[in-house]
Amino acid sequence: MNTFKTPTLAGTIKPANDKSMTHRALILAALATGETVIVNPLRAADTTQTMHALQMLGVPITIDAQHHCIKVQGIGREGIKAYVEDLATPLHFDFGNSGTTTRLMIGLLAGLNVPATITGDASLQRRPMDRIVDRLTQAGAQITMTRGHLPLTIHRGITNGLIDERLQVGSAQVKTALLLAGLGANVPVTIVDDFQTRDHTEIMLATFGASITVTGTTINLPAQIQLTGQLIAIPGDISSAAFWLVAGAVIPESTVTLANVGVNPTRTGILAVLERMHADVKLRARHQVNGEPVADITVRPTANLQATSITKAEIPQLVDELPIIALLATQAQGTTEISGAQELRFKESDRLATVGQVLTQFGANIQVNDDGFTITGPTRLHVPEAPVDDFGDHRITMLIIIAQLMTGARLEPRATTNVNVSYPNFIRDLEELLHV
């Protein structure tokens, strides 16, 4: 990475395309019949895992780099099952670092009754899978795990004639896995989502032609669903945009515009937090694509940021943004309390511990609690005396880089390959905003 001379950010970029939506578009396209063209997908390490998994199930997928799209020739549930039945040996998947691929594919494979072994890298093997597997075994699946974690083996798919579940954790991955299990098994699904987790799956199912209904917090997906290939456009990912939203709000003389960002209400918790903290953030050019709200977001620095409180009810709407929000809180007047965020302990790293350690090295006044943080500001950050560990976590790496910018010092080179998990062009976008 280059060494930059000034931390001021200015310009317009389109942040990484939405990771959650790309995963879902690929899987639903495979279950559909006919061609789906996914325009502006996120082509990153995580979504590549999902694409390769579907190709192992016999789904033809091609990348059209010239037109920034992926073309999926959907073969439907029956086509996938027929392909797998002709294989000589059971499938073995290694999903690397992708928790989304893993959890969604567990649901899909259990629904399709596809025997398979699933593993991943050391980080993924530390992440809990019982929250999904327990639900699927209650529906008749036979799945063995390694103390609640990967590696796991699916011996038999679900056998129940329906899936009826109230979510026990605020996880859209669990919700989507159950919906995919129902689709794969061709049985009706009812899910009560009191957490109001991100609803990309529900919106996209409707786009593919499913007669899904959402009444309050209850989701109903009937059996006998036939999905049809579609043109799906993927907007920018607000979780990736979050790093620039925070940087633009605190780095003097900055003006950053993030173009074509998804602003689905189940994902915009960070915008609500920024508003409460009196940040200068404006949304323009609002429109909808495939049922998803999209906008351009402009952020400028604010001298009088105010502390806030984030409680358990908000966590599902901003869980991936909490590390960078913690950094923002170091620049706010007063004490910011973040609670109900135990889910951070089960990410690529224990993000409660890793965020606390990283920000402490930068001089932040941060206390790590069992379920969140207590952060008192404003604090002038300084360059750490010792090297800062990113714990192999892509969001921690990006957090460190933004924190370095905020010190006002020259940006020191560091390894950034793990940002390829979610934001391969992060450094390129940084250079563009810094005009280097």
Side-chain angles (χ1 to χ4, degrees):
M1 180 176 32
N2 295 335
T3 299
F4 305 112
K5 297 180 180 179
T6 173
T8 300
L9 304 176
T12 299
I13 60 168
K14 186 178 185 296
N17 296 313
D18 195 283
K19 184 160 75 80
S20 294
M21 291 179 64
T22 302
H23 282 296
R24 288 154 173 80
L26 287 165
I27 294 173
L28 294 181
L31 289 170
T33 55
E35 182 178 76
T36 291
V37 178
I38 306 171
V39 180
N40 293 325
L42 175 67
R43 291 181 57 195
D46 268 22
T47 53
T48 297
Q49 292 288 358
T50 294
M51 185 173 67
H52 287 168
L54 296 170
Q55 290 173 318
M56 289 175 65
L57 295 176
V59 180
I61 302 175
T62 57
I63 296 172
D64 184 345
Q66 180 181 356
H67 298 99
H68 307 288
C69 67
I70 295 175
K71 297 178 180 179
V72 182
Q73 304 299 325
I75 60 176
R77 68 170 74 87
E78 298 304 326
I80 293 174
K81 292 172 74 172
Y83 177 86
V84 172
E85 286 172 1
D86 288 340
L87 296 176
T89 58
L91 288 163
H92 179 89
F93 297 97
D94 184 335
F95 290 141
N97 189 247
S98 182
T100 305
T101 303
T102 303
R103 293 190 175 115
L104 270 53
M105 290 301 299
I106 290 171
L108 178 62
L109 295 170
L112 293 169
N113 191 26
V114 173
T117 299
I118 298 173
T119 190
D121 66 12
S123 170
L124 188 57
Q125 289 184 34
R126 292 193 296 268
R127 301 177 69 178
M129 296 298 154
D130 49 356
R131 56 182 55 181
I132 286 174
V133 170
D134 289 351
R135 310 279 80 76
L136 295 171
T137 55
Q138 288 176 8
Q142 289 185 355
I143 304 173
T144 55
M145 289 184 290
T146 306
R147 295 179 297 278
H149 298 79
L150 300 182
L152 65 76
T153 300
I154 300 172
H155 304 281
R156 185 187 71 194
I158 67 173
T159 57
N160 286 10
L162 59 84
I163 295 174
D164 190 349
E165 184 70 31
R166 180 182 293 271
L167 292 185
Q168 302 301 306
V169 293
S171 170
Q173 292 178 0
V174 173
K175 176 176 66 176
T176 300
L178 294 173
L179 288 167
L180 292 174
L183 279 171
N186 199 20
V187 301
V189 181
T190 298
I191 298 174
V192 179
D193 179 7
D194 294 322
F195 301 95
Q196 297 184 295
T197 61
R198 60 187 64 175
D199 62 357
H200 299 307
T201 306
E202 297 94 300
I203 293 172
M204 201 170 288
L205 275 166
T207 299
F208 275 94
S211 54
I212 186 169
T213 59
V214 180
T215 306
T217 60
T218 301
I219 304 155
N220 285 292
L221 180 68
Q224 306 301 325
I225 291 295
Q226 299 297 323
L227 305 181
T228 305
Q230 300 291 324
L231 176 65
I232 303 292
I234 307 295
D237 195 324
I238 197 163
S239 296
S240 295
F243 295 94
W244 311 121
L245 289 172
V246 168
V250 298
I251 295 176
E253 301 179 14
S254 295
T255 300
V256 176
T257 297
L258 305 164
N260 200 47
V261 178
V263 288
N264 183 308
T266 63
R267 294 285 302 279
T268 53
I270 187 171
L271 296 181
V273 169
L274 285 163
E275 182 178 2
R276 290 202 304 267
M277 296 179 76
H278 299 176
D280 183 358
V281 179
K282 292 181 173 59
L283 274 64
R284 298 184 175 88
R286 295 175 182 260
H287 61 287
Q288 283 207 347
V289 179
N290 297 129
E292 291 277 357
V294 179
D296 296 345
I297 309 173
T298 297
V299 58
R300 295 181 176 86
T302 304
N304 192 33
L305 288 171
Q306 299 298 306
T308 190
S309 294
I310 300 173
T311 60
K312 183 177 181 179
E314 284 187 281
I315 298 302
Q317 284 75 48
L318 45 65
V319 64
D320 289 332
E321 294 78 72
L322 284 172
I324 197 66
I325 289 173
L327 178 60
L328 176 67
T330 68
Q331 304 307 299
Q333 297 279 348
T335 299
T336 294
E337 295 281 356
I338 300 174
S339 60
Q342 300 95 326
E343 188 67 17
L344 286 185
R345 295 201 183 274
F346 307 113
K347 296 292 184 177
E348 284 83 340
S349 65
D350 175 349
R351 287 183 182 159
L352 289 181
T354 55
V355 169
Q357 180 172 323
V358 166
L359 294 187
T360 296
Q361 283 189 259
F362 277 94
N365 185 348
I366 181 170
Q367 174 184 312
V368 178
N369 305 319
D370 290 341
D371 64 344
F373 305 109
T374 302
I375 305 165
T376 301
T379 302
R380 182 171 178 79
L381 302 183
H382 60 72
V383 177
E385 296 178 359
V388 184
D389 192 346
D390 62 20
F391 303 91
D393 187 330
H394 56 119
R395 298 198 193 279
I396 301 301
T397 298
M398 291 184 280
L399 167 72
I400 291 168
I401 291 171
I402 301 302
Q404 286 181 332
L405 286 175
M406 289 166 55
T407 66
R410 293 167 65 91
L411 188 58
E412 295 299 324
R414 64 177 298 111
T416 58
T417 54
N418 63 31
V419 304
N420 292 334
V421 167
S422 63
Y423 200 158
N425 292 328
F426 179 79
I427 298 302
R428 187 195 70 182
D429 287 349
L430 175 60
E431 291 176 338
E432 183 169 342
L433 291 172
L434 290 168
H435 301 283
V436 297

